[in-house]
């Protein structure tokens, strides 16, 4: 009984850390279009900045996951929060475009040291049967951070365009300090699962032979597709409808609110009744349709509805894929979480860079391309499941 209470307490602290980490990212989203105007930059620079963040995640996520298998999760999470906080403050203090890129790279490094250890930590403190619920709660914390962050960012931008970055940085550092005292230290269940090498190329090569490799590919393609929407949404509505940071914040907050409700109260019953794979398939299809429909709607209310549908669909996909990977990973939870984050980061790296270029060429093109990519991901997942893993369609996976 005391161990169960300790595990629950650890899960809540992990959720808080993820909330702060994601909130510190979400807080800057509605500010970015006008903030970049201070530097004479637009869609292409925004896409490259997001890609730089994801590139750092891609490089360091497998390393962080592997290190957490060897040495435990707590120290890496604390280091990641500190780096994230300093990177956000540095972004706000930047006076030239190259400084923005340095700050975003450091932000990606910090994120790499937060997300994989936290996902592995959740696997440490939940049973196999409770894994989906744990990942769902973690996903809810992520969504809640994205929900609250933009709302706060839109409000703080009224003080100055720099102010949200300072607040985000301070919040991450405070979370790191609290984790020092409140987050329990854990040791990996086994040291045999920790890989001896931290070489990124070797770990990516190993991933091909993992039983969850196709799940990693789905995460890669899925992340690539949604990046087209997430990267350019603020630019799209600003240019097409002249929305303010507050308008953008409302769209993101409402979408995030639905995501939180779904992950807190609905996702576990969905997993239990239909299984994670069916949840992935249905919501990939819904996301593909929603990202395309956004081109044909006008008026704040309709845009809000379509954006919320897209946000809710993607909210369901991530924890479903995370749960499947975790269940198939066995004792190498940190390694699997690191690879998962690396594949996600690879999609987040290529997607925004391409989306920014496409947006500057034609602001509708990122959404058309994103819809095609998501539909292709749906077909890949469906065909693979039908031919190679029909058992994943069952809820008792």
């Amino acid at each position: 009984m005391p161990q169960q209470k300790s595990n629950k307490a650890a899960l809540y602290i992990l959720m808080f850390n993820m909330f702060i980490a994601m909130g510190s990212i979400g807080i800057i989203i509605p500010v970015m279009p006008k903030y970049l105007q201070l530097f004479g930059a637009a869609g292409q620079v925004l896409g490259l900045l997001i890609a730089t963040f994801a590139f750092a995640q891609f490089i360091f996520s497998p390393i962080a996951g592997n290190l957490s298998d060897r040495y435990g999760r707590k120290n890496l999470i604390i280091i990641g929060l500190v780096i994230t906080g300093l990177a956000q403050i540095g972004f706000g203090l930047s006076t030239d475009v190259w400084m923005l890129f340095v700050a975003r790279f450091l932000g990606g490094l910090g994120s790499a040291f937060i997300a994989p250890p936290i996902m592995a930590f959740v696997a440490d403190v939940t049973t196999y049967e409770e894994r989906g619920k744990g990942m769902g709660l973690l996903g809810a914390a992520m969504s809640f951070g994205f929900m609250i962050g933009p709302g706060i960012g839109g409000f703080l931008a009224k003080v100055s365009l720099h102010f949200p970055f300072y607040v985000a940085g301070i919040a991450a550092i405070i979370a790191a300090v609290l984790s020092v005292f409140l987050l329990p230290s854990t040791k990996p269940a086994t040291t045999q699962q920790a890989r001896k090498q931290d070489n990124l190329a070797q770990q990516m090569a190993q991933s091909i032979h993992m039983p969850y490799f196709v799940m990693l590919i789905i995460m890669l393609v899925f992340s690539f597709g949604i990046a087209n929407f997430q990267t350019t949404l603020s630019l799209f509505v600003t240019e097409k409808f002249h929305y303010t940071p507050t308008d953008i914040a409302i769209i993101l907050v409402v979408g995030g609110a639905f995501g939180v409700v779904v992950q807190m109260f609905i996702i576990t019953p969905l997993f239990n009744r239909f299984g994670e794979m069916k949840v992935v398939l249905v919501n990939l299809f819904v996301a593909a349709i929603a990202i395309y429909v956004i081109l044909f709607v006008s008026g704040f209310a309709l845009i809000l509805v379509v954006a919320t549908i897209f946000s809710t669909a993607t909210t369901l996909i991530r924890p479903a894929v995370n749960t499947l990977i975790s269940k198939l990973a066995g004792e190498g939870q940190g390694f699997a979480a690191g690879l998962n984050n690396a594949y996600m980061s690879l999609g987040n790296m290529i997607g925004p860079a391409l989306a920014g270029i496409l947006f500057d060429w034609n602001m509708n093109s990122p959404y058309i391309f994103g819809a095609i990519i998501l539909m292709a991901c749906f077909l890949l997942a469906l065909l693979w499941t039908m031919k190679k893993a029909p058992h994943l369609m069952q809820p008792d996976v």
Side-chain angles (χ1 to χ4, degrees):
M1 184 67 69
Q3 181 63 38
Q4 290 181 345
K5 290 183 178 180
S6 175
N7 289 345
K8 287 185 178 180
L11 180 59
Y12 294 145
I13 296 169
L14 294 171
M15 291 170 61
F16 174 76
N17 283 340
M18 188 63 82
F19 162 73
I20 292 296
M22 295 301 103
S24 69
I25 296 173
I27 201 173
I28 71 175
I29 292 176
V31 186
M32 287 296 283
K34 291 190 179 297
Y35 186 71
L36 289 179
Q37 289 177 6
L38 300 177
F39 299 86
Q44 186 172 351
V45 172
L46 177 59
L48 291 174
L49 283 171
I50 297 174
T52 299
F53 184 96
F55 178 64
Q57 281 187 311
F58 172 67
I59 294 174
F60 294 106
S61 288
I63 297 174
N66 194 20
L67 289 175
S68 76
D69 275 340
R70 290 187 183 182
Y71 305 114
R73 327 295 188 193
K74 179 176 178 177
N75 290 337
L76 275 78
I77 294 171
I78 293 170
I79 292 170
L81 287 167
V82 171
I83 294 174
T84 295
L86 295 176
Q88 294 282 33
I89 293 171
F91 198 89
L93 293 173
S94 297
T95 56
D96 206 339
V97 172
W98 70 266
M99 299 174 70
L100 298 178
F101 281 96
V102 172
R104 293 309 286 165
F105 184 86
L106 292 176
L109 169 62
S111 180
F113 276 77
I114 296 172
I118 284 182
M119 285 192 290
F121 210 138
V122 170
D124 291 342
V125 298
T126 57
T127 64
Y128 182 89
E129 292 75 16
E130 295 175 339
R131 192 71 46 79
K133 181 179 180 180
M135 291 297 180
L137 290 173
L138 188 63
M142 296 175 66
S143 298
F144 193 51
F146 277 119
M147 177 189 75
I148 295 295
I152 296 174
F155 175 77
L156 295 178
K158 296 180 180 179
V159 178
S160 79
L161 291 177
H162 302 270
F163 193 53
F165 301 99
Y166 303 147
V167 173
I170 293 171
I173 292 174
I174 290 174
V177 173
L178 292 176
S179 295
V180 171
F181 300 101
L182 299 178
L183 190 64
S185 296
T186 62
K187 294 182 179 180
T190 176
T191 58
Q192 295 178 353
Q193 293 294 327
R195 272 63 182 176
K196 293 182 179 180
Q197 75 285 337
D198 293 331
N199 182 277
L200 175 62
Q202 290 176 312
Q203 293 199 33
M204 295 297 287
Q206 286 184 13
S207 70
I208 297 174
H209 306 290
M210 296 298 164
Y212 46 81
F213 175 65
V214 172
M215 292 295 104
L216 296 175
I217 296 298
I218 292 173
M219 179 60 77
L220 165 66
V221 179
F222 158 70
S223 300
F224 178 86
I226 66 171
N228 289 272
F229 182 88
Q230 294 174 333
T231 300
T232 57
L233 177 62
S234 58
L235 294 170
F236 180 80
V237 296
T238 298
E239 182 169 326
K240 188 172 182 178
F241 303 109
H242 307 291
Y243 284 2
T244 65
T246 302
D247 296 326
I248 299 169
I250 291 172
I251 293 173
L252 297 174
V253 166
V254 172
F258 271 81
V260 170
V261 172
V262 166
Q263 293 189 77
M264 288 291 292
F265 303 107
I266 300 176
I267 196 167
T268 300
L270 284 177
F271 286 177
N272 291 338
R273 181 171 181 177
F274 301 107
E276 292 87 358
M277 198 65 219
K278 286 183 180 178
V279 172
V280 170
L281 291 170
V282 169
N283 286 283
L284 278 173
F285 185 82
V286 171
I289 298 300
I291 197 175
Y292 184 68
V293 169
I294 197 75
L295 296 175
F296 303 99
V297 296
S298 60
F300 186 81
L302 284 177
I303 292 173
L304 180 63
V305 169
V306 175
T308 299
I309 291 172
F310 180 86
S311 176
T312 303
T314 56
T315 290
L316 286 164
I317 295 170
R318 287 193 189 278
V321 174
N322 291 342
T323 301
L324 287 168
I325 291 174
S326 179
K327 286 183 174 181
L328 294 168
E331 295 175 328
Q333 292 294 327
F335 183 74
L339 286 175
N340 184 17
N341 213 47
Y343 275 83
M344 179 185 69
S345 301
L346 187 59
N348 288 340
M349 176 176 63
I350 301 172
L354 181 59
I357 295 171
L358 289 173
F359 184 87
D360 286 346
W361 171 63
N362 183 301
M363 66 178 179
N364 292 333
S365 57
Y367 303 96
I368 297 172
F369 189 68
I372 294 171
I373 290 296
L374 285 171
M375 191 60 69
C377 186
F378 163 76
L379 293 174
L380 169 68
L382 179 62
L383 292 175
W384 177 81
T385 304
M386 291 175 63
K387 292 183 177 181
K388 301 293 184 180
H391 63 282
L392 291 180
M393 298 293 282
Q394 303 302 318
D396 59 342
V397 173

